[in-house]
Amino acid sequence: MSLNKIAVINLGLGNIGSVINSLHKLNIKPEIIFSGQELESFNPSHIIMPGVGAVSEAMNKLKNFNFIDKLETLVFEKNCFFCGICLGMQVLAKSSEEFGNTQCLGWIDGKVSIMKTKGLSLPHMGWNTMHVNNKDSIFYDLNDKDMYFAHSYSMNCDKSYIAATSNYGSSFVSAIQYKNIFGIQSHPEKSAFLGSIFFTNFLNLR
């Protein structure tokens, strides 16, 4: 397992305890980060940002706790590895239609919108299959495997960013990758051994 410095960002959105527990099972003790200043001081090699809830609230917290500039310095200048989980993936887009229009981080040229489910109920909640095309991706161990989902919105972006898709009435983006930036719409922390495999793959990136 990696000896890298792992930061988990706590925006107070959803219970991050499951993520922390998943990492502890891998003998990883991450630093829980509450502000941009803490993040800068810790200077991590890997950042995990989980979250459940509304994109607008997440963006407000990122701004209010001075995360945005610090994150962008670490990710784009210091090449820190970043993984956004569920809500943490959605804030990577340029904008979100949830509860109006919210400007997001814009790291991924995409937009978050309500899922097109062809009549299936929302939220999309439960186990669903990940389809991964790139054998070199850190997501490939999840290919044709079921992960746990809980969401009503999903990201629409150019196929060059798409690492995995799933289907719920229609196809939607279930994972993204751009250089050192990763996002997963499902919850690896609630996906049993497959989640452990995914976290191991991400944390071993160098």
Side-chain angles (χ1 to χ4, degrees):
M1 176 55 64
S2 168
L3 298 177
N4 292 317
K5 295 176 69 178
I6 315 303
V8 175
I9 294 178
N10 187 350
L11 296 178
L13 296 173
N15 179 16
I16 72 165
S18 295
V19 174
I20 302 301
N21 289 338
S22 292
L23 298 178
H24 283 174
K25 289 176 182 177
L26 297 172
N27 294 318
I28 294 290
K29 294 184 178 180
E31 188 81 5
I32 303 173
I33 303 293
F34 295 90
S35 71
Q37 287 75 17
E38 289 182 11
L39 187 66
E40 181 179 49
S41 296
F42 184 59
N43 191 31
S45 58
H46 293 66
I47 299 171
I48 297 172
M49 186 163 72
V52 177
V55 167
S56 57
E57 187 177 2
M59 287 305 302
N60 284 336
K61 288 180 178 290
L62 286 169
K63 292 172 185 174
N64 292 340
F65 293 102
N66 301 311
F67 271 113
I68 296 177
D69 289 346
K70 309 303 184 185
L71 279 169
E72 291 183 345
T73 296
L74 285 165
V75 172
F76 293 105
E77 296 181 20
K78 296 189 176 182
N79 295 314
C80 177
F81 294 102
F82 180 96
C83 180
I85 297 172
C86 194
L87 181 62
M89 169 176 153
Q90 293 184 6
V91 298
L92 300 177
K94 282 190 172 182
S95 64
S96 171
E97 294 179 344
E98 187 179 15
F99 303 122
N101 189 66
T102 300
Q103 296 303 305
C104 302
L105 291 174
W107 297 0
I108 301 295
D109 187 6
K111 185 175 185 177
V112 174
S113 56
I114 193 79
M115 296 177 71
K116 296 181 173 68
T117 65
K118 296 183 179 178
L120 296 179
S121 62
L122 290 173
H124 167 224
M125 186 171 291
W127 298 87
N128 205 338
T129 307
M130 305 272 289
H131 303 291
V132 186
N133 293 321
N134 185 354
K135 292 184 178 181
D136 296 323
S137 169
I138 66 167
F139 298 101
Y140 196 71
D141 286 328
L142 310 180
N143 185 41
D144 292 334
K145 304 293 195 307
D146 287 353
M147 302 286 283
Y148 187 83
F149 290 81
H151 63 116
S152 297
Y153 287 75
S154 61
M155 186 185 296
N156 300 293
C157 61
D158 186 81
K159 64 180 182 179
S160 61
Y161 298 106
I162 298 174
T165 59
S166 299
N167 193 289
Y168 185 69
S170 61
S171 180
F172 68 91
V173 177
S174 51
I176 55 171
Q177 178 176 348
Y178 176 65
K179 297 181 179 179
N180 54 323
I181 300 167
F182 302 84
I184 185 165
Q185 184 62 65
S186 62
H187 288 273
E189 76 279 9
K190 295 182 179 180
S191 299
F193 74 98
L194 286 172
S196 296
I197 290 172
F198 170 72
F199 281 127
T200 298
N201 289 347
F202 174 70
L203 297 177
N204 280 333
L205 288 171
R206 289 179 176 82

